[in-house]
Amino acid sequence: MTYTCIEYTVNAGVAVLTLNRPANLNSFNADMHAEVKDALKAARKDSQVRCLVITGAGRGFCAGQDLSDRNVAPDAQAPDLGASIEKNYNPLMRMLRDLPMPVICAVNGVAAGAGANIALACDLVYAARSASFIQAFCKIGLIPDSGGTWTLPRLVGQARATALAMLGDKISAEQAQQWGMIWQVVEDDALMDTVLEKARFLATQPTQGLALIKRALNASATNTFDQQLDLERDLQRLAGRTQDYREGVAAFMEKRQPEFSGR
Ligand code: T3D
């Protein structure tokens, strides 16, 4: 597939997916949805890819749905936004969360609407100091989608999630970090270097083990303590069968640095 709305590169075990419609703050149209899905599938299939970075081109990260794609003329038929969510946003969010490798979001600028919730669904979120987060949905009569009503209360608690969703206020990167919405704020000009360094490090780590950590933490939001103990048992069984577990223990015993293959 030829990409016109995104860029996708793979280097040293790290795939970088750049949303690339900067004139529209990288908002999503149908083509971008198709391209992002294609790239996520490629990352999943490619055994060389052991960490994925998502970022945006230009001054924004992503402004959510491209509103110029919506016909809201008084005489137009009401659009079926449920169908749009079912076809595009929900599959995208499921693919993102199910990727068996760490996903880092480098939030280079404003992240609004679905753009904010895509960022917050990533495993590690780094944001440029000048970046911001806006649950812009309420300003156009919509509800947070792309998992926002699930992710937000879990990250920041019900009171803050409700205020963010109902007021649609812009939250600075620093505030987002203080509230535990994101992992780290980085100076603007250091964002990509910091994220790529971390991504390259993660790409040398036990990829299957990291994928199992992700599965366990994601499941913990809805599991009981007992269910989670059972899941940990099952996932640890899988982790114990990887080559990287053998290598980790052997390297420790031999007092040397491990060389993880991701298998
Ligand atoms: O429809 C469905 O399928 C349902 C699913 C919905 C998911 C959603 O994401 S709904 C929420 C959609 N997003 C928004 O409501 C955000 C709209 N954008 C904004 O509120 C502001 O642009 C920002 C707060 C994000 C940034 O503000 P600012 O002042 O930094 O930039 P700007 O001047 O508003 O935008 C710059 C350009 O990007 C501008 O174009 P221009 O005038 O230079 O030609 C603006 O129109 C364009 N742009 C920004 N956001 C969108 C957009 N164009 C289309 N769609 C956008 N979402």
Side-chain angles (χ1 to χ4, degrees):
M1 185 176 200
T2 308
Y3 295 150
T4 57
C5 304
I6 67 167
E7 284 174 8
Y8 178 77
T9 57
V10 179
N11 192 8
V14 176
V16 179
L17 192 169
T18 306
L19 306 174
N20 192 22
R21 303 181 68 230
N24 311 74
L25 297 184
N26 304 319
S27 54
F28 271 84
N29 60 10
D31 286 348
M32 192 154 97
H33 271 295
E35 292 179 19
V36 169
K37 253 181 241 158
D38 188 76
L40 292 181
K41 269 190 207 151
R44 190 183 181 100
K45 268 202 310 208
D46 185 349
S47 60
Q48 301 300 308
V49 176
R50 293 170 65 186
C51 183
L52 172 71
V53 173
I54 302 181
T55 191
R59 74 174 177 90
F61 170 66
C62 174
Q65 171 62 38
D66 184 335
L67 297 175
S68 68
D69 256 14
R70 297 285 172 260
N71 182 357
V72 290
D75 55 346
Q77 202 185 354
D80 183 351
L81 299 189
S84 158
I85 301 285
E86 183 68 18
K87 178 168 189 271
N88 289 318
Y89 289 96
N90 283 357
L92 163 63
M93 299 314 292
R94 290 190 175 108
M95 284 176 82
L96 199 55
R97 267 185 87 92
D98 288 349
L99 270 187
M101 66 192 72
V103 179
I104 306 184
C105 191
V107 185
N108 54 298
V110 63
N117 293 334
I118 289 167
L120 297 179
C122 293
D123 300 314
L124 294 176
V125 186
Y126 288 79
R129 189 165 296 282
S130 67
S132 54
F133 297 83
I134 312 176
Q135 295 295 321
F137 308 89
C138 59
K139 295 183 183 291
I140 55 169
L142 297 185
I143 70 159
D145 57 31
S146 305
T149 58
W150 190 93
T151 309
L152 275 176
R154 284 167 173 80
L155 289 174
V156 299
Q158 192 79 2
R160 284 170 173 163
T162 306
L164 290 174
M166 288 194 170
L167 299 175
D169 286 348
K170 184 190 275 194
I171 297 296
S172 68
E174 206 158 345
Q175 179 80 84
Q177 185 188 353
Q178 279 168 14
W179 283 3
M181 267 168 76
I182 66 168
W183 172 235
Q184 211 171 303
V185 179
V186 178
E187 295 310 321
D188 287 19
D189 57 3
L191 178 70
M192 280 320 281
D193 283 349
T194 305
V195 165
L196 287 174
E197 187 190 339
K198 202 55 75 181
R200 285 187 203 110
F201 166 74
L202 284 169
T204 65
Q205 296 304 294
T207 310
Q208 290 193 44
L210 298 181
L212 295 172
I213 290 174
K214 178 168 169 165
R215 264 176 69 183
L217 290 174
N218 285 342
S220 75
T222 44
N223 273 351
T224 63
F225 184 65
D226 273 337
Q227 288 169 328
Q228 196 67 13
L229 288 180
D230 288 347
L231 180 66
E232 288 175 0
R233 174 201 60 213
D234 295 343
L235 299 185
Q236 201 70 299
R237 183 172 287 135
L238 297 178
R241 290 177 183 151
T242 62
Q243 286 180 24
D244 282 339
Y245 168 66
R246 285 173 195 258
E247 168 62 6
V249 175
F252 177 80
M253 296 307 293
E254 293 161 19
K255 300 192 187 304
R256 61 173 172 82
Q257 286 301 311
E259 281 186 36
F260 295 117
S261 65
R263 287 190 292 275

